[in-house]
């Protein structure tokens, strides 16, 4: 696995203990663009060292997310962390990544090509990334659901399609 990294945020903080000393904080998202992604946070006196620490932390904290056709998510999910709330929806082919700020870095590193995401609440990049990961952890493929219920994948997909049809017929008839 050769993960590609995407820097989400670098911040500078100063502390005036005896003289002005600056510290840097980096938020890095790492992914293999095939369904594995992680994020890490690093602090150091210099930017490259902070990025290195954050990248190592991100590689240790990678999660696997099931992707539909290798390009989008299976279903809509909501995630939150602190004051950050995100809504993540699958999208049709050709839509692209419609997401703002740090969420875009997460989806690009994950390998999602078509997704619609909206962040509500805070614009703090740390909370937005954590809320996005909370939503991604809730993703389940039909295979996982079928295995847990002891059914076949075709039964799960048939039921999903039959639930969506009455809605479509009601809107078409109105």
């Amino acid at each position: 696995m050769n993960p590609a990294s995407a820097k989400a945020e670098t911040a500078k903080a100063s502390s005036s203990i005896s003289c002005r000393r600056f510290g840097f904080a980096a938020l890095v998202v790492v992914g293999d663009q095939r369904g594995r992604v992680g994020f890490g946070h690093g602090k150091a006196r210099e930017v490259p060292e902070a990025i290195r620490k954050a990248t190592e932390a991100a590689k240790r904290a990678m999660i696997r997310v099931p992707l539909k056709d290798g390009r989008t998510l299976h279903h809509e999910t909501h995630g939150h962390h602190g004051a950050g709330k995100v809504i993540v929806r699958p999208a049709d082919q050709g839509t692209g990544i419609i997401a703002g700020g740090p969420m875009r870095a997460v989806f690009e590193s994950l390998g999602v090509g078509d997704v619609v995401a909206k962040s509500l609440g805070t614009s703090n990049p740390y909370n937005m990334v954590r809320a996005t990961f909370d939503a991604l952890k809730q993703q389940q493929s039909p295979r996982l659901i079928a295995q847990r219920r002891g059914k076949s994948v075709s039964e799960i997909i048939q039921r999903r399609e039959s639930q969506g049809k009455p809605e479509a017929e009601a809107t078409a008839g109105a």
Side-chain angles (χ1 to χ4, degrees):
M1 181 191 83
N2 187 12
S5 67
K7 184 174 67 170
E9 180 77 13
T10 304
K12 181 174 92 170
S14 67
S15 61
S16 55
I17 297 168
S18 59
C19 62
R20 284 210 183 268
R21 286 193 227 159
F22 291 99
F24 296 92
L27 176 65
V28 174
V29 178
V30 173
D32 65 357
Q33 298 183 340
R34 289 181 295 169
R36 285 174 43 102
V37 68
F39 76 96
H41 177 230
K43 289 183 177 180
R45 291 284 168 91
E46 296 178 10
V47 175
E49 184 66 14
I51 292 173
R52 185 190 63 77
K53 286 181 178 180
T55 304
E56 286 179 6
K59 286 178 183 176
R60 285 193 303 264
M62 289 185 85
I63 62 168
R64 180 170 296 283
V65 179
L67 298 179
K68 182 178 180 182
D69 303 328
R71 61 166 189 82
T72 189
L73 304 172
H74 284 283
H75 54 86
E76 179 179 329
T77 54
H78 300 262
H80 73 280
H81 185 272
K85 297 175 188 68
V86 297
I87 301 169
V88 179
R89 293 187 182 110
D92 293 333
Q93 190 164 4
T95 304
I97 300 173
I98 301 176
M103 289 194 307
R104 178 176 289 277
V106 173
F107 293 127
E108 287 174 353
S109 298
L110 182 60
V112 173
D114 302 307
V115 68
V116 176
K118 178 67 181 166
S119 65
L120 306 167
T122 187
S123 60
N124 179 340
Y126 293 94
N127 286 346
M128 284 175 64
V129 168
R130 286 187 174 106
T132 305
F133 270 77
D134 182 46
L136 291 175
K137 286 177 185 175
Q138 297 173 26
Q139 284 291 315
Q140 295 179 344
S141 69
R143 184 185 301 160
L144 290 172
I145 294 170
Q147 186 178 10
R148 190 174 61 227
R149 294 182 188 175
K151 296 185 175 186
S152 69
V153 176
S154 59
E155 287 178 295
I156 301 294
I157 292 174
Q158 278 180 338
R159 182 167 178 184
R160 178 192 275 180
E161 289 172 355
S162 68
Q163 284 178 344
K165 284 186 180 177
E167 239 178 60
E169 290 171 3
T171 56

